Amino acid sequence: MASRVIPVDPFDLVIFGGTGDLARRKILPGLFRRYCAGQMPAEARIIGAARSDMSNTEYRRLIGEALEEFGAADGKNQKDVTEFLQRIEYIAIDAMGKSGWKALAKALRKNVVHAFNFSVGPALFGPLAERLHENGIADTQSRIVVEKPFGHDLASAKELNATLAQYFDERQIYRIDHYLGKETVQNLMAVRFGNILFEPLWNAQYIDHVQITVAETVGVGGRGEYYDKSGAMRDMVQNHLMQLLCLTAMEPPAKFDPNAVRDEKLKVIRALRPVANGDLVRGQYSAGSDTPSYAEEAENPSSTTESFIAMKIDIENWRWNGTPFYLRTGKRMRARLSEIVVRFKEPPHSIFDEDAGSNANELTIRLQPNEGMDMMVTIKEPGPGGMRLVQVPLDMTFADVLGSDGSDVPDAYERLIMDVIRGNQTLFMRGDEVEAAWAWTDPIIEGWESRGDKPNLYEPGTAGPEEALMLMHKDGRRWRDLKP
Ligand code: NAD
């Protein structure tokens, strides 16, 4: 089933940090794929901006190399590459200084969508917003796209929101959480609200618990210095896992409209009970046979930063009272996997013999690898062996179901940037959501900092520290296996 492609309006997209890792690895390859898919109109233009002096030709060469390095160009689509690169220009601009702004103002066309992507460190978000405004470059229709991290705590997030609000309305600010751009995450909403089947069961009466796992096999690598000041709670839970929890737990919005969806997510965050100390496990990976320990990679022998965190979260509202959400995320784990598992309760009464087997349904929403969903349902074991029950998956791997090899399922960044041009904020975080998430996160971090808690060490290539398994065992539950 080929996906329908509707071209977006003509645009000028300025990528500040256009020579950086994110721009080269994700944003420009993503735009190139949208170009190949026919979604970028002929009048679309991309302007890379960064500090270094560079000609258009040099910048196009840099981006051409990035398209190859990050798998967007494969040698067979050279004509597309050449045409795409013709749409790209470069302007040297210092985000903190005065140079380059006049050239940018001159380069932008009238009567096309103007979007400014802040693919730079967070310290530059405010100065960029200010200079776009001061130089008369941004108007009331312009959009700005802000990368993570959005603040380090509640105070800094509030400050950043206040700075941006001096120059832009909330409807112009697109805060990226790339998890929201994943096909499966949107499908979670389609499945929940587009079927009569799930929603009546989507509550504490029928759901035993929910597990959200985001596991990585890599360590902190070259990001050690940044990560050591952040840790898994700030880097992953406050944003990505929180967004997944919200979409799973929220009430049905009145319509699929940016503010209606974001209002419902916000209500969930505000209903989160503070996490008790005993419902939280922090971990840090030790050295493996051929991999360094976290402390070595972060170059901080006495680091108490967590590279793993697991927690049990209660949502204080009618729908979820008594149904916990268990979250875990970590680095150097056994598998690279992101999934939401909704574990239903067992039927209230079994008509089968005790040895027929257990029969609780489980819905798994996989974000990676192989985006898709599967639902474990109970059937009779085939054959003449009597009434024995087995669980089989109703598998909806998107690449299989949609009849493709998965390559035409847009990457999260592709979708999100096209949404910016379309002016659709549904999949972006609103300022109050981000602040509410920090308001919930801060006391948890302050708690372990004031107690001087140290993370539990765990071996690389495992499911995290033993204590994380106990977090569920003590409730008579278990994490789904982390299968590589
Ligand atoms: P990077 O260090 O690779 O690139 C930074 C870019 O900013 C470069 O192009 C640099 O020239 C430019 N820059 C620096 N100072 C400047 C100035 N004064 N004026 C103009 N340009 C300046 O960083 P990155 O990894 O591309 O990350 C960019 C942003 O995206 C950061 O906020 C980061 O947290 C976020 N982010 C990155 C990733 C990723 O995978 N790289 C993922 C999620 C979020």
Side-chain angles (χ1 to χ4, degrees), residues 17 19-22 25 50-51 93-95 119-120 122 124 147-149:
T19 57
D21 178 68
L22 182 65
R25 200 156 50 83
R51 243 182 332 190
I93 296 182
D94 183 355
S119 183
V120 292
L124 299 183
E147 290 295 337
K148 99 174 204 193

Side-chain angles (χ1 to χ4, degrees), residues 4-8 31-42 80 418:
R4 264 185 310 150
V5 174
I6 303 167
V8 294
L31 284 162
F32 174 64
R33 280 190 288 268
R34 289 296 88 207
Y35 171 76
C36 294
Q39 201 162 16
M40 267 173 65
D80 288 335
M418 290 299 109

Side-chain angles (χ1 to χ4, degrees), residues 324-337:
F325 282 59
Y326 297 89
L327 269 48
R328 66 176 165 169
T329 180
K331 294 193 176 291
R332 274 241 208 282
M333 295 180 69
R334 190 184 303 136
R336 176 169 179 259
L337 173 153

